[in-house]
Amino acid sequence: MKQYSAPSDESMQDVDSKNIQDLGKTQVAAGITMIKIQDEMDDAAAKAADVKFVTETQRILTNPDNGYLFTNGVNAKDAYLPTAQAIAKVKEEAGANLTNNTQKTMFEATAAKHMLTYQSQMNQHAVKQVQTYALKEADARASTYAGLAANSFGTKEFEVYKNTALNEVD
């Protein structure tokens, strides 16, 4: 068995400093190329996660059949928390396949902005729908008590019913 040994000086005689320099430049260029490829892969992966997140969230919010932004009245209040939880789950699932911290950081930055937008949309919708619900119930109560007042005209209950009906329209 032949013992391991370093290359002889004779094999290195043809290698001059120019060749070593060229080899170094080639290796640096290859390294830069690999960094650029990884940057592109990170960017593409983060964008894919973003598209998945936005697409699913839009379905949750804007589907005409069961989207949150199509809920009415008290149903908007009741659906608020489950919708917020569903969006948080979609965000988590969209980012689950990201393979490194760069991709995750890129996605999280964009997803955080989306979450603020979605939360604002949901908040505005909930407030508007609860106000609508409250107004409808106040109108219904005013009508009911106006009817009671009309039916009890001339009795001691008339003033109570009339005042209750009038308070609801103030």
Side-chain angles (χ1 to χ4, degrees):
M1 172 194 305
K2 188 171 183 182
Q3 186 176 7
Y4 176 79
S5 64
S8 68
D9 287 341
E10 294 171 13
S11 65
M12 296 298 290
Q13 288 176 354
D14 291 337
V15 178
D16 61 12
S17 62
K18 170 116 174 64
N19 289 341
I20 293 172
Q21 219 173 20
D22 289 346
L23 178 61
K25 287 179 184 177
T26 301
Q27 289 177 333
V28 167
I32 290 171
T33 299
M34 293 306 294
I35 290 170
K36 287 180 181 179
I37 289 170
Q38 187 61 52
D39 286 349
E40 290 295 323
M41 292 298 295
D42 291 343
D43 189 56
K47 286 177 181 177
D50 180 49
V51 168
K52 181 177 180 179
F53 175 49
V54 169
T55 301
E56 269 305 297
T57 301
Q58 287 304 301
R59 185 190 58 74
I60 291 169
L61 292 175
T62 63
N63 182 322
D65 297 326
N66 60 3
Y68 178 75
L69 297 177
F70 286 90
T71 57
N72 294 310
V74 74
N75 292 336
K77 180 196 76 69
D78 294 341
Y80 185 91
L81 184 57
T83 302
Q85 291 169 336
I87 291 171
K89 183 179 178 189
V90 166
K91 178 182 164 280
E92 184 180 315
E93 290 171 354
N97 292 328
L98 298 175
T99 59
N100 63 47
N101 288 339
T102 301
Q103 294 171 6
K104 291 174 185 176
T105 300
M106 291 168 74
F107 172 67
E108 286 296 327
T110 302
K113 291 175 188 174
H114 291 312
M115 290 296 283
L116 289 174
T117 299
Y118 300 146
Q119 192 171 38
S120 175
Q121 289 173 338
M122 289 176 61
N123 289 342
Q124 289 173 9
H125 180 72
V127 167
K128 180 180 175 186
Q129 290 304 311
V130 168
Q131 287 172 341
T132 299
Y133 171 69
L135 284 172
K136 284 182 181 179
E137 293 306 313
D139 286 347
R141 189 165 192 243
S143 293
T144 299
Y145 277 80
L148 289 171
N151 292 335
S152 64
F153 186 74
T155 68
K156 63 182 181 172
E157 290 87 14
F158 171 74
E159 285 298 318
V160 172
Y161 293 148
K162 177 188 86 166
N163 289 337
T164 302
L166 291 173
N167 284 338
E168 289 299 330
V169 294
D170 283 342

